[in-house]
């Protein structure tokens, strides 16, 4: 379920709030292959299912940066900021990949709006997120994301 805010003042009021949990999405071999084509990273552990069966994880795994890139579509399920002119990904403070995402796994995002601070012309938000693997003991990714919203 998405939280919708209208404008920067409403966004500021959410500081410290739990944003909830996104829906599950499946990480398919097709998605992994498409990411490999887009980035040029065709390491066998991602794109060769037969060889990956004999590898350390027993199956192909998603690229860590593919998992990280899925933060955006998962996050947009949680927070919808309206009444602003521009939304910008400003960067990351910290990212870790505690557990690999095997092909066919389902992942989701749990997030908290840790901080909202003013910047010239808008606000910067800091989001603490964990991309969880269905049935997994450890998350696929733990991150702190920065975004800016301008009036």
């Amino acid at each position: 379920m998405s939280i919708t805010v209208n404008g920067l003042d409403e966004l500021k009021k959410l500081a410290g709030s739990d944003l909830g949990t996104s829906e599950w999405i499946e990480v398919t071999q097709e998605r992994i292959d498409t990411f490999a084509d887009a980035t040029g990273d065709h390491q066998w552990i991602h794109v060769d299912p037969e060889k990956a069966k004999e590898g350390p994880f027993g199956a192909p795994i998603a690229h860590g940066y593919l998992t990280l890139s899925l933060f955006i579509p998962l996050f947009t399920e949680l927070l919808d900021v309206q009444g602003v002119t521009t939304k910008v990904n400003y960067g990351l403070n910290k990212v870790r990949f505690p557990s690999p995402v095997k092909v066919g796994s389902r992942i989701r995002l749990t997030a908290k709006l840790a901080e909202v601070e003013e910047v010239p012309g808008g606000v910067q938000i800091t989001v603490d997120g964990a991309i969880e693997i269905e049935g997994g003991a450890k998350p696929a990714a733990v991150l702190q994301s920065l975004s800016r919203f301008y009036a």
Side-chain angles (χ1 to χ4, degrees):
M1 185 174 99
S2 180
I3 297 171
T4 301
V5 297
N6 190 8
L8 301 180
D9 289 336
E10 286 186 22
L11 182 58
K12 290 176 191 176
K13 292 176 185 175
L14 281 181
S17 297
D18 181 2
L19 298 176
T21 303
S22 72
E23 295 295 320
W24 293 105
I25 61 168
E26 183 178 356
V27 179
T28 63
Q29 186 65 54
E30 180 182 8
R31 186 184 295 263
I32 292 169
D33 292 343
T34 300
F35 187 84
D37 289 342
T39 62
D41 182 353
H42 291 93
Q43 184 184 30
W44 63 269
I45 202 160
H46 306 302
V47 299
D48 186 339
E50 291 306 312
K51 189 172 181 180
K53 283 181 190 176
E54 305 304 320
F57 305 108
I61 61 168
H63 305 73
Y65 286 118
L66 167 57
T67 303
L68 180 61
S69 73
L70 293 172
F71 170 81
I72 294 299
L74 294 169
F75 181 72
T76 59
E77 289 184 30
L78 302 181
L79 181 63
D80 180 18
V81 181
Q82 299 180 356
V84 296
T85 62
T86 308
K87 303 172 185 180
V88 179
N89 174 1
Y90 192 67
L92 300 160
N93 283 339
K94 182 191 288 187
V95 178
R96 297 290 183 269
F97 302 111
S99 187
V101 178
K102 292 181 182 181
V103 69
S105 295
R106 294 190 335 151
I107 62 172
R108 68 180 180 183
L109 173 67
T110 300
K112 177 182 179 180
L113 183 55
E115 186 177 4
V116 180
E117 61 184 300
E118 292 193 27
V119 296
V123 298
Q124 177 173 294
I125 67 169
T126 302
V127 175
D128 293 332
I131 298 177
E132 303 171 338
I133 304 168
E134 188 174 38
K138 294 181 185 177
V142 178
L143 61 120
Q144 191 172 68
S145 172
L146 304 173
S147 299
R148 289 191 172 182
F149 298 85
Y150 295 97

